[in-house]
């Protein structure tokens, strides 16, 4: 089983972000942590004896929390779950809230992987999307973090207003020496975000879809030149240092999400915690067992749902999907987009670039 712990606090919400996150006062953070710790304890009793493979503290901005806050959470986790089999323990961070003291603590309490939200090394891009760090800070903090963690990842967004093929390649070349992993995402404009409103008002001009695809291909080639192998649509690893936790999502490992708005997959049931802070804290405080915690979006998956998920998630990976699950769904027209190896069928490089319409056709069957 995999554990995910959500920290929903950010110093400032980025303009492209539609995640559940908000600034938090000291009192709000303390109240949330108390609810989170109770959920951890109740979950530990429910899943006593379950083998935990990976742990991921995400957000939000987990590195915004104080050393004491993070220590409390990790102490609750280790006293509630069996950590003897944990191979990967990740925490997300943003450059402006990384400090040497926090890095030392993370390492001391058993965290062995750091994921840093760099997003861009172009200061105009960072300003345009509402990030509160600059490129100089990002590089300084990556260098500092690399002194404490040899399993270091960073996120980059491709398709920002001031991106060019030259600048995107330079970003990859610049961050690569510090990293074992890179996540690169094409910018998606989500409804209800500040950036969506600004784009609609023509205050922000973004690259076209074709231009963004060219930029991503430039970034992919640069990552390959720096020794990173693409193992998932948006993820690249050097020397096999994949994100084990995220790979578990794509291969449908069981996972338990703890905290506000966190999702879980246990057996054939998917469910989520409330996205409202008040509802979440009330549901946890009023429960005396894991099963009494109220949830939302509880879905019991059918056999077809499970197969559809295996296809939809598995085709994101370069390994692909087991042949027996997908072979009969692939029409002659779609066959050129697929390749077969070791009993798995995966998308070709070109197939990956046009994955969405292919998935729509496959999942209709």
């Amino acid at each position: 089983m995999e554990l995910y712990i959500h920290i929903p606090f950010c110093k400032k919400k980025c303009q492209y972000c539609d995640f559940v996150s908000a600034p938090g006062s000291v009192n709000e953070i303390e109240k949330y942590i108390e609810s989170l710790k109770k959920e951890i304890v109740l979950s530990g009793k429910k899943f006593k004896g379950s083998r935990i493979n990976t742990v991921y503290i995400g957000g939000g901005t987990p590195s915004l929390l104080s050393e004491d806050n993070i220590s409390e959470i990790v102490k609750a986790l280790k006293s509630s779950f069996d950590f003897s089999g944990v191979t990967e323990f990740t925490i997300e961070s943003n450059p402006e809230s990384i400090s040497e003291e926090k890095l030392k603590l993370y390492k001391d309490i058993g965290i062995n992987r750091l994921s840093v939200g760099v997003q861009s090394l172009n200061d105009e891009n960072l300003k345009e999307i509402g990030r509160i760090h600059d490129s100089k800070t990002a590089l300084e903090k990556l260098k500092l973090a690399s002194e404490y963690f040899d399993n270091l990842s960073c996120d980059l967004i491709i398709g920002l207003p001031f991106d060019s093929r030259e600048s995107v390649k330079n970003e990859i070349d610049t961050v690569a020496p510090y990293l074992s992993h890179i996540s690169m995402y094409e910018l998606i404009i989500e409804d209800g975000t500040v950036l969506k409103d600004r784009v609609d008002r023509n205050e922000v001009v973004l690259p076209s879809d074709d231009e963004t695809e060219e930029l991503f291909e430039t970034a992919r080639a640069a990552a390959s030149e720096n020794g990173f192998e693409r193992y998932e649509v948006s993820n690249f690893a050097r020397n096999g240092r994949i994100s084990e936790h995220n790979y578990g999502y794509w291969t449908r490992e069981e996972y338990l999400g703890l905290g506000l708005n966190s999702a879980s997959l246990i057996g054939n049931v998917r469910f989520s915690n409330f996205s409202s802070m008040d509802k979440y804290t009330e549901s946890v405080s009023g429960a005396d067992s894991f099963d009494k915690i109220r949830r939302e979006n509880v879905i019991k998956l059918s056999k077809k749902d499970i197969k559809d998920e295996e296809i939809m998630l598995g085709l994101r990976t370069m390994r692909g999907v087991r042949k027996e699950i997908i072979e009969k769904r692939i029409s002659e027209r779609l066959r050129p987009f697929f390749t077969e190896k070791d009993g798995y069928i995966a998308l070709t490089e070109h197939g990956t670039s046009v994955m969405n319409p292919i998935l729509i056709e496959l999942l209709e069957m």
Side-chain angles (χ1 to χ4, degrees), residues 334-354:
L334 290 181
R335 288 201 178 277
F337 296 103
F338 290 91
T339 183
E340 182 180 336
K341 182 180 179 182
D342 298 332
Y344 283 78
I345 292 178
L347 288 168
T348 63
E349 195 70 50
H350 179 56
T352 298
S353 68
V354 291

Side-chain angles (χ1 to χ4, degrees), residues 33 110 249 298 323 347:
I33 289 175
Y249 293 151
V298 179
K323 181 178 178 179
L347 288 168

Side-chain angles (χ1 to χ4, degrees), residues 94-105:
N94 279 339
E96 74 280 351
S97 56
I98 292 175
S99 68
E100 190 155 12
E101 291 74 23
K102 288 178 181 177
L103 294 172
K104 287 178 180 176
L105 173 77

